[in-house]
Amino acid sequence: MALTGIQIFKMTPKKNCKECGCPTCMAFSMKVAQGAMDISACPYMSEDALSQLSEATAPPMKTIKVGTGDSEYSLGGETVLYRHEKTFVSKTRYAASLDTQMDDVTADERIKSIAKVDYVRIGERMHTEMVNVNYLDGDASEKYMELVKKAAETGRCLILSCKDVKTAEAALEICKEAKPILNGADVSNYKEMNDVAQAAGVVLGVSGSNISELYDTTAALEKLGNKNLVLDVTADTVKETFSNAVQVRRSAIKDTNRTFGYPSIVNAAKLARGDKAFEQTLASVFTMKYGSIVIVDEMDYALALPLYGLRQNLFTDPQKPMKVDPGIYQINGGDENSICLTTVDFALTYFLVSGELERSGVPVNLVISDAGGLSVLTSWAAGKFSATSISKYILENVEDKVKSRKLVIPGKVAVLKGDLESKLPGWEVIVAPLEAVQLVKFLKDMQAN
Ligand code: SF4
């Protein structure tokens, strides 16, 4: 049961010393009750109070770590059902699929394709983070070992989907150092699978033929002392899978039912049964509701571009504009003699403009001043991207670092040209085209003249 602010307040030292960053112990207690602060932020809490409170005030969903090194990911740790309430914490990770029914050529092609999608969007790397290696009952376990070895060579975090205890144990011998997920426990084998997962020190995936069975098996695993779990909520139908995913999350967050307080796996590839367009729809739906890991057949650009864009929008803080830091960004080897361009610090604008500048191949200095993280016209209308703010930034931060006296401003704020020239004596202010995509030709023409 979650504690109220008053219940927490009763256990605080009531010093009102402000060391936790809150003005009073009551304010601190309210924040802890909302999940906005951790109880350990108060250095004066007694051992007894800490032990009573830390379990009761822990986030309703556990954060589970999988993988190692560059392929280590945190899953879960969510505190809300809806993104507008508070930021979602751990973004959905995507896994490509391999299974023992694939012939060698298909499996090799699938493995090669894993590295195909790899790009940066608004400062975030977009790639296939995981590989799901599926063992179909009755297949030769040697073939599974071969697949696991090949999948391990990709360096991606692995999901070993395997319900055969002996095969799972042998597969873990190949890759347990890389901390894969062993997704294999169900009502029939959970004790043995638990022993295998705990011996290897890896996260155990649990599934059930319906949500009650999933709950009971998870509770039984917790009784065995394993709280390093993920829940595979995939059922035979999309409807049941969706219902499972939502019920698990609601139960964890709204009812603080900690038995369902674990991250989840959804196998969109299995549900789509080879229909690519349907798989794309399902991957999007379960990114929103509430797959911590979504398994697809294969990640290609047609699937990745909308899916990663959706994920990036979901897993950003809606209360904070996405900004880049003010500064001079030298592009294509730009130096003190290169021309300056300026735009706003809104991350999407920055990455669009800098991408086009890179494409032009022309050395430039991209000057970013603080425009409140807003787009060009919005920040101009709000007075945050004005002749005064731009000229002040240039005079204080750019003029002594750059010899060129050419400044290109966005076409949408051409109206600033006259005012800027009067505020920046000695500078030639040039108006860029309206759209970023036109910058390549514009800069090449400028360079040629
Ligand atoms: Fe109260 Fe502890 Fe915060 Fe001090 S640090 S104000 S004692 S809750």
Side-chain angles (χ1 to χ4, degrees):
M1 261 313 268
L3 295 178
T4 64
I6 299 291
Q7 286 169 316
I8 296 167
F9 175 68
K10 285 180 183 162
M11 288 186 241
T12 62
K14 303 179 191 67
K15 284 167 168 273
N16 294 331
C17 66
K18 304 186 176 65
E19 284 185 42
C20 55
C22 297
T24 60
C25 296
M26 176 57 96
F28 173 74
S29 307
M30 291 301 171
K31 286 204 169 170
V32 173
Q34 289 160 7
M37 283 188 82
D38 193 274
I39 194 72
S40 60
C42 169
Y44 302 109
M45 203 65 84
S46 70
E47 285 298 316
D48 187 36
L50 268 182
S51 67
Q52 280 187 55
L53 287 171
S54 41
E55 176 78 359
T57 58
M61 181 186 283
K62 277 180 88 74
T63 300
I64 300 289
K65 281 202 189 302
V66 296
T68 53
D70 288 347
S71 296
E72 183 183 85
Y73 303 105
S74 292
L75 308 171
E78 305 298 342
T79 56
V80 291
L81 276 182
Y82 304 108
R83 178 187 176 265
H84 60 259
E85 295 174 90
K86 202 174 164 202
T87 321
F88 285 160
V89 180
S90 304
K91 66 185 74 154
T92 305
R93 303 294 173 174
Y94 300 108
S97 308
L98 293 172
D99 73 57
T100 41
Q101 300 273 296
M102 282 176 170
D103 60 56
D104 288 350
V105 176
T106 313
D108 288 346
E109 277 173 7
R110 179 65 56 83
I111 285 168
K112 258 194 223 158
S113 76
I114 288 166
K116 257 193 217 161
V117 171
D118 200 337
Y119 63 99
V120 174
R121 182 179 190 269
I122 319 185
E124 182 185 334
R125 185 181 176 203
M126 309 296 191
H127 69 302
T128 314
E129 293 109 342
M130 297 187 175
V131 183
N132 178 52
V133 194
N134 192 26
Y135 176 75
L136 298 164
D137 276 348
D139 283 348
S141 65
E142 297 75 34
K143 175 146 191 190
Y144 191 61
M145 300 311 139
E146 279 307 306
L147 274 182
V148 171
K149 273 185 205 153
K150 286 181 182 174
E153 283 165 15
T154 64
R156 298 327 203 239
C157 177
L158 299 190
I159 306 166
L160 304 177
S161 290
C162 175
K163 293 195 171 172
D164 183 86
V165 178
K166 289 271 167 259
T167 307
E169 197 171 10
L172 276 173
E173 281 308 311
I174 298 169
C175 61
K176 66 181 176 192
E177 300 306 325
K179 300 289 173 207
I181 298 169
L182 171 57
N183 185 22
D186 64 14
V187 69
S188 68
N189 67 6
Y190 72 89
K191 282 186 187 145
E192 296 83 356
M193 276 294 178
N194 181 53
D195 291 343
V196 171
Q198 294 222 338
V202 300
V203 172
L204 182 60
V206 196
S207 59
S209 60
N210 55 53
I211 196 151
S212 306
E213 194 176 288
L214 176 64
Y215 184 87
D216 292 344
T217 310
T218 309
L221 281 162
E222 286 187 317
K223 255 193 183 165
L224 293 174
N226 193 347
K227 293 192 174 180
N228 204 18
L229 305 171
V230 293
L231 309 181
D232 188 338
V233 297
T234 316
D236 289 338
T237 64
V238 173
K239 185 180 169 190
E240 199 184 343
T241 306
F242 186 82
S243 162
N244 289 350
V246 173
Q247 281 192 64
V248 163
R249 178 66 70 91
R250 283 194 71 86
S251 178
I253 305 291
K254 287 285 167 210
D255 306 334
T256 55
N257 182 337
R258 293 186 194 275
T259 300
F260 268 162
Y262 294 98
S264 58
I265 300 180
V266 178
N267 194 332
K270 180 179 164 197
L271 294 168
R273 296 184 172 89
D275 182 335
K276 279 300 274 179
F278 191 38
E279 183 184 70
Q280 180 143 30
T281 308
L282 293 174
S284 304
V285 166
F286 288 108
T287 297
M288 293 184 283
K289 299 272 179 202
Y290 289 109
S292 307
I293 297 171
V294 171
I295 300 170
V296 297
D297 263 331
E298 180 179 351
M299 187 65 76
D300 56 19
Y301 272 97
L303 175 58
L305 290 171
L307 195 57
Y308 287 118
L310 171 72
R311 181 181 77 174
Q312 194 167 41
N313 281 318
L314 270 177
F315 288 88
T316 49
D317 187 342
Q319 294 164 31
K320 282 192 203 148
M322 293 168 74
K323 293 167 68 171
V324 291
D325 292 332
I328 305 171
Y329 293 82
Q330 295 181 321
I331 295 175
N332 300 326
D335 60 22
E336 58 182 11
N337 297 311
S338 308
I339 59 161
C340 297
L341 290 95
T342 190
T343 190
V344 291
D345 58 349
F346 177 44
L348 192 56
T349 305
Y350 169 82
F351 284 104
L352 274 174
V353 170
S354 61
E356 295 302 327
L357 296 181
E358 275 170 26
R359 222 159 54 81
S360 76
V362 178
V364 294
N365 295 305
L366 180 57
V367 176
I368 302 292
S369 54
D370 183 357
L374 303 169
S375 67
V376 170
L377 281 179
T378 315
S379 57
W380 170 72
K384 291 176 185 283
F385 191 59
S386 62
T388 304
S389 69
I390 298 169
S391 60
K392 185 168 183 283
Y393 191 80
I394 297 270
L395 292 171
E396 289 175 3
N397 299 285
V398 180
E399 219 172 40
D400 58 345
K401 298 189 184 90
V402 176
K403 287 184 183 153
S404 165
R405 289 294 178 261
K406 284 188 180 177
L407 176 66
V408 179
I409 61 171
K412 285 182 177 148
V413 288
V415 67
L416 299 179
K417 177 177 161 62
D419 207 3
L420 264 174
E421 280 177 338
S422 69
K423 288 184 161 67
L424 289 173
W427 283 79
E428 180 189 354
V429 178
I430 303 160
V431 177
L434 283 174
E435 301 299 335
V437 73
Q438 297 166 301
L439 279 170
V440 176
K441 182 174 182 309
F442 171 80
L443 284 173
K444 283 186 173 168
D445 289 350
M446 258 184 93
Q447 195 182 37
N449 294 324

